[in-house]
Amino acid sequence: MLSFHLSTAMTDSNKMVINLALFGLTQSGKSSSGNILLGSTDFQSTFAPCSVTKKCRLGRSCHLGGFMRRGGQEITLQVKVLDTPGYPHSKLSKDHVKQEVKEALKYHFGQEGLHLALLVQRADMPLCEQEASSPVQMIQELLGHAWKNYTAILFTHAEKIEAAGFREDEYLHEASDAMVTLLNSVQHRYIFQYKKGNSLNELRINILERIMEIIKENCYQVLTFK
């Protein structure tokens, strides 16, 4: 059973915890993105000819002091990230992956709630209709009818867009019909993740700032799982 309400993750007047979950195809860069968001190497991230992540795992970041201001006060931010197995998976069935993620969402975010699901998509690979249907369907089934309000697309390998001579708006204008449909569904909430020319800390802050903009647009509401 899903429900949504205002976040209770504001544990005191100057500290906020945000809860994120990563979804996407195998080898899309979920675990690597999770490590960037956490500022750590909590999640195993490596190239492999098969799916690497087989179980959900929650990572917690250190506290980011003075990350933002709210009500005239500086807010310290902590990020919790749930890494999930990719789907389609090279070794696990859809039902297995779905049950694994469903239990993890309930266990980790059942009470505090989920602020945002990040659908990780490689920017250097076109999204086709058949490929898009698997992770999107998984999110729809796990998050329910409100999934569109709690999902954003995270484009990994975005530095390859620049290398190819595209601006972000040009890239999105040339995107596949499947990607355009997906972008429309999530109200054009997207983030580009670059690994070239920026320090990892700068990259992390840029992504977190965009995530906070989206969470603020949702009035800090969360999805809970019962």
Side-chain angles (χ1 to χ4, degrees), residues 5-186:
H5 55 69
L6 291 178
S7 174
T8 57
M10 186 76 77
T11 56
D12 56 52
S13 61
N14 61 355
K15 178 184 174 182
M16 183 174 189
V17 179
I18 60 171
N19 298 326
L20 311 172
L22 300 169
F23 296 88
L25 297 168
T26 289
Q27 292 292 325
S28 59
K30 296 187 305 301
S31 298
S32 176
S33 297
N35 287 333
I36 290 172
L37 290 167
L38 295 173
S40 68
T41 55
D42 283 33
F43 305 133
Q44 182 182 0
S45 175
T46 183
F47 173 79
C50 60
S51 302
V52 176
T53 303
K54 299 179 179 65
K55 289 185 174 294
C56 293
R57 185 176 177 186
L58 185 75
R60 294 175 175 83
S61 75
C62 296
H63 293 86
L64 287 169
F67 178 80
M68 57 184 284
R69 295 185 67 84
R70 189 179 185 190
Q73 289 187 321
E74 286 192 347
I75 301 297
T76 296
L77 183 71
Q78 184 181 35
V79 184
K80 293 183 182 179
V81 179
L82 181 68
D83 190 23
T84 70
Y87 187 79
H89 199 280
S90 63
K91 296 182 179 180
L92 305 176
S93 68
K94 176 183 178 180
D95 288 342
H96 184 103
V97 173
K98 181 181 175 182
Q99 188 62 29
E100 168 76 16
V101 179
K102 182 179 181 180
E103 291 177 359
L105 287 170
K106 182 178 180 180
Y107 179 78
H108 294 294
F109 303 141
Q111 295 299 321
E112 290 185 6
L114 176 69
H115 288 91
L116 192 65
L118 294 171
L119 178 55
V120 182
Q121 164 67 25
R122 291 183 62 121
D124 60 340
M125 297 180 66
L127 183 67
C128 301
E129 182 94 30
Q130 189 172 3
E131 292 174 334
S133 64
S134 296
V136 171
Q137 184 181 12
M138 182 79 71
I139 290 177
Q140 289 175 332
E141 293 175 356
L142 291 168
L143 304 189
H145 69 278
W147 76 275
K148 297 178 181 179
N149 298 323
Y150 294 91
T151 301
I153 302 170
L154 178 62
F155 291 104
T156 57
H157 301 274
E159 65 278 357
K160 296 186 179 181
I161 297 175
E162 287 185 332
F166 283 96
R167 298 193 309 268
E168 291 179 4
D169 58 337
E170 292 174 330
Y171 170 84
L172 295 175
H173 182 72
E174 297 293 330
S176 66
D177 290 344
M179 176 55 70
V180 171
T181 298
L182 180 56
L183 284 167
N184 288 336
S185 295
V186 298

